[in-house]
Amino acid sequence: MFPSRFRYEAPSSLGEAVALLASHDDSKVLAGGQSLIPMMKLRFASPALLVDINNIPGLDQHGAQPDGSYRIGALVRHADLEKSTTLGEHQPTIAAAAPLIADPIVRTRGTFVGSVCHADPQGDWASCLVALDGSIVAHGPTGRRTIPVDDFVTGPFQTVLAPDEIAVEAVIGAASGSRKGGYLKLERRVGDFATVGVAVALEMSGSTVTKAGIGLTGVGSATINAREAADAIVGSSLGDDEIAVAAEAAAAASSPRSDHRGSADYKRHVVATFVGRLLAQHQPAEAEVA
């Protein structure tokens, strides 16, 4: 199929882009297009105006900031994160997920921020941002606002972005201790949507967990923040008992459906297994010996 007819604009500034969005009731922002273009071809989306932001400078940067936060611009591709030599030092959860996003072709064009804005319950990046307690910065006619990721996604393929706002970056706050974490994903084949994905982000002081986050992919109608599971390990040194409690709490927080990828019980078991594996990777040496 071919998309419906649409007007195409490629502004060179955020102000121009926002003005274009405000002038049309039915418009979409194009960054990587790896979700939007297929939807347009299938006519699940038929915008009258497509606003391409790829000519806007300053949106393709990512990195640690002087205040300790980490920022990912709206034009940072999955491949940019995958190839980064410093990302793992600052954001191990994101570094672990980057090679698992879709396939190499999609990673070359698709963007981190665009994936979060797409709000697909099977999207990997939203779970990472949830685990890291991150935010999305939106730019609109009245300026910028910062939206916690838990408030940003309101449902499957739905966000709080206004029609005349552009998500310009994702922000992860500074860690109070050393940052640990990872991402595990079960997929039928490379490039497939996740049957189950689990993101774990930890802040640690020595061997003690001072802050934790666990995000779940593909096991509910939206990305799941497994708060109770994360709370179970805060203040602990990741002993086997605490890990077991967190793993079971994460499984209980999930709400998967039985389908061709597996039964609901199987998916809950995978959630618990992945959480256990990710947390065990960061046990202190004496706990591993015990």
Side-chain angles (χ1 to χ4, degrees):
M1 292 181 66
F2 294 96
S4 301
R5 293 176 63 88
F6 61 91
R7 175 184 166 193
Y8 172 84
E9 296 285 351
S12 57
S13 70
L14 276 174
E16 185 183 354
V18 169
L20 283 166
L21 292 174
S23 68
H24 287 73
D25 293 332
D26 186 12
S27 56
K28 291 288 186 182
V29 173
L30 175 67
Q34 298 304 292
S35 299
L36 177 59
I37 298 303
M39 291 180 67
M40 290 175 63
K41 289 179 68 175
L42 293 170
R43 301 201 177 188
F44 292 149
S46 299
L49 170 67
L50 205 58
V51 179
D52 185 341
I53 64 171
N54 281 274
N55 291 334
I56 300 175
L59 299 181
D60 60 350
Q61 303 297 310
H62 70 93
Q65 306 300 304
D67 63 359
S69 66
Y70 199 94
R71 295 177 179 263
I72 302 173
L75 294 178
V76 173
R77 317 291 172 181
H78 311 310
D80 295 333
L81 297 170
E82 180 185 12
K83 296 173 183 177
S84 172
T85 58
T86 59
L87 180 64
E89 173 188 352
H90 300 286
Q91 298 296 336
T93 302
I94 293 176
L100 305 178
I101 304 299
D103 57 48
I105 296 174
V106 170
R107 290 200 294 273
T108 299
R109 290 299 301 168
T111 64
F112 180 101
V113 172
S115 177
V116 176
C117 290
H118 186 51
D120 190 330
Q122 292 180 300
D124 305 285
W125 284 137
S127 295
C128 293
L129 202 58
V130 161
L132 287 159
D133 195 23
S135 301
I136 293 292
V137 177
H139 184 96
T142 60
R144 296 196 174 193
R145 61 177 178 137
T146 299
I147 310 162
V149 67
D150 277 336
D151 299 328
F152 183 72
V153 177
T154 57
F157 308 102
Q158 296 178 322
T159 73
V160 298
L161 274 180
D164 56 0
E165 284 185 314
I166 298 173
V168 293
E169 65 180 358
V171 180
I172 299 160
S176 59
S178 61
R179 202 181 281 283
K180 308 289 184 181
Y183 188 78
L184 288 175
K185 177 179 180 178
L186 176 66
E187 54 189 344
R188 295 180 301 169
R189 59 184 180 274
V190 173
D192 194 12
F193 288 109
T195 298
V196 176
V198 172
V200 167
L202 306 172
E203 295 178 23
M204 302 187 73
S205 176
S207 62
T208 302
V209 177
T210 57
K211 184 177 179 180
I214 299 175
L216 308 180
T217 303
V219 287
S221 60
T223 300
I224 293 173
N225 188 340
R227 293 187 182 86
E228 186 175 336
D231 290 345
I233 54 174
V234 173
S236 79
S237 295
L238 294 177
D240 290 342
D241 290 343
E242 289 87 358
I243 290 177
V245 169
E248 290 307 313
S254 68
S255 182
R257 296 185 306 165
S258 296
D259 57 20
H260 60 287
R261 291 185 173 92
S263 69
D265 287 343
Y266 168 69
K267 294 176 184 178
R268 290 190 188 94
H269 176 74
V270 174
V271 169
T273 299
F274 279 1
V275 170
R277 288 180 183 175
L278 287 167
L279 294 178
Q281 292 174 3
H282 303 293
Q283 285 183 307
E286 59 269 21
E288 295 175 1
V289 172

